[in-house]
């Protein structure tokens, strides 16, 4: 994949190695650079030392969960401008609202196919708003007041 | 014979006794009455005791029922929480299964032969099917937990029907059925919960396609005059439903054929979800059907203001 600009860096935060590595491998394939973290505390460290362009944040994490990590990232002047996309297997009402409250810029429900995730990342990098690709398959899931598709 | 006697003297002006009058009164009746009264009193006391006992009993049973209702509520909340947790636990591995399958199909790990691609397509479609089952189960638990709030907006039914058709386009194409819509553009826009109406229609239409092997499926919408302002029907020429089964199909986990060899997949939750969603938005779903001839499911809606 040809890109004129340097490759955007994506920080993938997930405690489930299969998910982290899968998205990692696909993002590399799709022309991104990747950094990985297995919990919220590590996510903050990686955000500070590698300045990613976007962060994919799982919410249920050991040590420090994704909500808390996002709150801290959004409270820190050094990381506040990095878009955070919540990527979670939780599909209940309230979860997405809590994620927005914590400062997440978008919300994606797992399962999310790698190619759909890349579309959302590109949208966010272009300055747009992410829409949960799972909406397509979950017509009832429109609870977080998202953009119409 | 029990007798009561009253005797009186009759005296002259000078106080001389002229006569003695005795009145003899037969006491039998009075005694009998007294005995009867005693019996009656005993019976009444007994009755009062019984009423007291019954009242206490009822109070106790009420208390028991209250406690049971509370316990049931708690059990139901626990069940919903459990289902929500299970849904998360299912999604995590399913995410990896669907994701890696898609990556293999795209050749991320290297070129893939056609037969392998065909197998991968099967893995993907079965994974998606499993996901839809998990979503249905989660929907039921959300509805039961009251976590499906109304989101009212104004929308046009023809647009919504168009969206539903577009989303089911792959299934429609595979079915080779004649799928048509009769939805007048000039229908007045409706105030309702767009997503819930859409979910109901998606479900009714995919059911119609699933249970129809040949013939046609049509979606019809028309304005109503009454409290319900619009009716949307999905009609098919499929297997149909016997009259006795018309109510049962809306129950949880009820597919009419529940045998291990049943011909149609699914959780049996779809129509139950539809009915509950319809209730939430103040609508109604009815069915008209003839075994072997086909079915018509009609969703009636009213304008809902939040």
């Amino acid at each position: 994949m040809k890109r004129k600009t340097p490759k955007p860096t994506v920080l993938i935060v997930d405690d489930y190695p299969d998910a982290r590595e899968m998205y990692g491998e696909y993002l590399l394939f799709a022309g991104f650079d990747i950094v990985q973290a297995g919990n919220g505390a590590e996510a903050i460290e990686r955000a500070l030392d590698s300045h990613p362009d976007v962060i994919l944040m799982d919410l249920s994490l050991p040590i420090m969960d994704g909500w808390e990590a996002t709150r801290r990232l959004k409270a820190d002047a050094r990381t506040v401008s990095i878009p955070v996309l919540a990527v979670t297997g939780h599909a209940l009402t309230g979860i997405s609202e809590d994620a927005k409250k914590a400062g997440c810029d978008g919300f994606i429900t797992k399962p999310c196919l790698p190619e759909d995730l890349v579309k959302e990342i590109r949208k966010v990098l272009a300055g747009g708003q992410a829409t949960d690709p799972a909406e397509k398959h979950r017509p009832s899931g429109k609870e977080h007041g998202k953009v119409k598709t | 014979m029990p007798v009561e006697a009253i005797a009186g003297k009759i005296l002259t002006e000078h106080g001389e006794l002229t006569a003695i009058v005795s009145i003899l009164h037969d006491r039998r009746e009075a005694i009998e009455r007294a005995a009867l009264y005693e019996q009656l009193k005993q019976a009444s006391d007994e009755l009062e005791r019984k009423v007291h006992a019954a009242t206490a009993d009822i109070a106790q049973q009420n208390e028991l029922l209250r406690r049971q209702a509370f316990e049931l509520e708690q059990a139901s909340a626990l069940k919903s929480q459990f289902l929500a947790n299970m849904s998360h636990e299912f999604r995590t591995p399913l995410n990896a299964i669907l994701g890696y399958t898609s990556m293999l199909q795209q050749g991320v790990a290297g070129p893939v032969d056609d037969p392998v691609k065909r197998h991968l397509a099967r893995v993907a479609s079965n994974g998606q099917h499993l996901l839809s089952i998990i979503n249905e189960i989660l929907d039921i638990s959300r509805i039961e937990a009251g976590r499906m709030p109304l989101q009212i907006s104004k929308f046009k039914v023809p647009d919504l029907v168009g969206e539903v058709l577009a989303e089911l386009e792959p299934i429609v194409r595979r079915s080779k059925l004649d799928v048509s819509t009769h939805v007048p553009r000039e229908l007045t826009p409706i105030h309702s919960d767009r997503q819930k109406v859409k979910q109901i229609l998606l479900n009714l239409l995919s059911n119609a396609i699933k249970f129809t092997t040949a013939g046609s499926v049509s979606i019809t919408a028309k304005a109503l005059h009454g409290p319900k302002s619009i009716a949307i029907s999905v009609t098919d020429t499929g297997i149909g439903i016997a009259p006795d089964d018309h109510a049962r199909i809306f129950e949880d986990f009820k597919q009419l054929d529940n045998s291990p060899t049943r011909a149609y997949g699914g959780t049996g939750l779809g129509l139950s979800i539809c009915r509950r969603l319809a209730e939430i938005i103040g609508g109604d779903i009815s069915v008209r059907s003839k075994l072997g001839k086909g079915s018509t499911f009609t969703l009636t809606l009213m304008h809902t203001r939040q």
Side-chain angles (χ1 to χ4, degrees):
Chain A
M1 202 167 279
K2 279 184 211 162
R3 299 187 74 89
K4 287 171 198 151
T5 47
K7 289 179 179 179
T9 304
V10 180
L11 168 57
I12 308 165
V13 189
D14 203 312
D15 61 328
Y16 193 65
D18 285 6
R20 204 171 59 225
E21 287 162 21
M22 174 181 81
Y23 288 139
E25 199 179 324
Y26 193 80
L27 284 168
L28 287 173
F29 168 80
F32 292 86
D33 270 337
I34 57 155
V35 186
Q36 303 185 32
N39 63 61
E42 222 181 287
I44 292 174
E45 280 174 37
R46 294 289 85 76
L48 286 171
D49 63 32
S50 55
H51 309 291
D53 297 282
V54 61
I55 300 172
L56 302 179
M57 183 72 79
D58 187 15
L59 293 175
S60 296
L61 293 168
I63 302 170
M64 184 195 293
D65 65 36
W67 290 281
E68 182 56 27
T70 305
R71 262 191 293 276
R72 295 197 187 188
L73 289 166
K74 291 296 179 183
D76 190 324
R78 294 168 292 176
T79 49
V80 63
S81 59
I82 308 173
V84 177
L85 283 178
V87 184
T88 175
H90 288 293
L92 278 183
T93 327
I95 299 284
S96 62
E97 284 146 25
D98 289 349
K100 290 260 161 79
K101 256 182 238 158
C104 290
D105 301 271
F107 186 89
I108 292 165
T109 312
K110 283 180 196 162
C112 177
L113 292 178
E115 58 268 33
D116 291 335
L117 189 67
V118 164
K119 271 184 217 150
E120 295 313 313
I121 293 171
R122 294 226 163 96
K123 224 187 277 178
V124 168
L125 286 176
Q129 201 184 351
T131 42
D132 193 345
E135 287 298 287
K136 255 194 330 198
H137 314 292
R138 286 198 49 72
S140 68
K142 190 174 177 167
E143 307 170 309
H144 12 283
K146 281 190 314 286
V147 199
K148 262 185 234 163
T149 44
Chain B
M1 179 169 67
V3 170
E4 188 181 50
I6 300 167
K9 295 184 276 188
I10 298 172
L11 304 176
T12 62
E13 276 172 54
H14 312 292
E16 294 157 351
L17 183 68
T18 56
I20 290 174
V21 176
S22 293
I23 301 165
L24 294 176
H25 187 70
D26 184 350
R27 286 281 295 149
R28 274 181 306 183
E29 206 179 308
I31 287 170
E32 251 167 53
R33 227 185 336 217
L36 277 175
Y37 177 75
E38 189 53 36
Q39 273 178 16
L40 193 65
K41 196 166 172 307
Q42 268 177 19
S44 145
D45 286 351
E46 178 69 7
L47 193 65
E48 201 178 315
R49 254 197 316 280
K50 279 186 180 159
V51 168
H52 273 301
T55 309
D57 226 34
I58 287 170
Q60 203 184 346
Q61 276 177 5
N62 273 346
E63 181 52 35
L64 202 68
L65 278 175
R66 252 197 298 278
R67 218 176 306 152
Q68 280 174 344
F70 179 69
E71 278 166 12
L72 271 176
E73 222 167 87
Q74 271 192 324
S76 167
L78 269 176
K79 189 187 78 181
S80 298
Q81 187 56 49
F82 171 77
L83 285 171
N85 289 345
M86 285 315 287
S87 150
H88 180 260
E89 296 311 307
F90 284 135
R91 278 161 192 280
T92 303
L94 197 51
N95 187 43
I97 293 170
L98 291 171
Y100 275 111
T101 306
S102 169
M103 280 163 65
L104 283 170
Q105 286 176 303
Q106 291 175 63
V108 173
V112 186
D113 293 343
D114 279 351
V116 179
K117 266 190 192 154
R118 274 200 298 280
H119 290 185
L120 288 172
R122 293 284 170 92
V123 176
S125 72
N126 278 280
Q128 289 295 348
H129 181 63
L130 184 56
L131 176 60
S132 66
I133 294 172
I134 294 167
N135 284 338
E136 283 185 354
I137 292 174
L138 185 64
D139 277 345
I140 284 280
S141 71
R142 277 167 156 184
I143 293 171
E144 283 184 350
R147 292 175 86 159
M148 269 231 187
L150 265 182
Q151 298 205 322
I152 304 300
S153 63
K154 187 176 163 185
F155 60 91
K156 291 178 182 163
V157 173
D159 292 351
L160 188 70
V161 170
E163 256 174 58
V164 168
L165 269 176
E167 232 160 84
L168 293 179
E169 199 270 336
I171 308 173
V172 170
R173 195 156 22 96
R174 231 178 300 144
S175 73
K176 301 196 169 64
L177 295 169
D178 173 22
V179 177
S180 60
T181 59
H182 310 277
V183 183
R185 290 287 333 165
E186 64 275 13
L187 270 178
T188 327
I190 186 158
H191 286 90
S192 188
D193 189 315
R194 194 177 199 278
Q195 282 306 124
K196 293 188 178 62
V197 175
K198 183 171 170 186
Q199 189 175 357
I200 294 169
L201 293 182
L202 275 170
N203 218 303
L204 294 182
L205 186 58
S206 54
N207 264 354
I209 295 168
K210 179 161 118 186
F211 292 104
T212 308
T213 43
S216 65
V217 171
S218 67
I219 308 174
T220 312
K222 64 174 185 210
L224 299 177
H225 305 285
K228 298 272 168 58
S229 51
I230 197 162
I232 309 170
S233 299
V234 179
T235 302
D236 65 56
T237 57
I239 58 171
I241 305 145
D244 287 351
D245 293 326
H246 285 189
R248 279 180 52 213
I249 53 171
F250 292 102
E251 291 169 19
D252 285 353
F253 299 108
K254 278 278 157 64
Q255 234 191 36
L256 291 177
D257 179 6
N258 258 332
S259 65
T261 55
R262 64 186 184 157
Y264 304 95
T267 50
L269 283 174
L271 282 176
S272 161
I273 292 172
C274 287
R275 195 205 54 206
R276 289 168 193 233
L277 289 176
E279 276 168 15
I280 293 175
I281 58 177
D284 187 43
I285 295 185
S286 59
V287 60
R288 275 188 301 119
S289 183
K290 240 184 180 166
L291 206 55
K293 297 275 183 225
S295 308
T296 297
F297 284 84
T298 302
L299 169 67
T300 49
L301 292 171
M302 55 181 188
H303 286 292
T304 313
R305 309 267 173 186
Q306 208 143 29

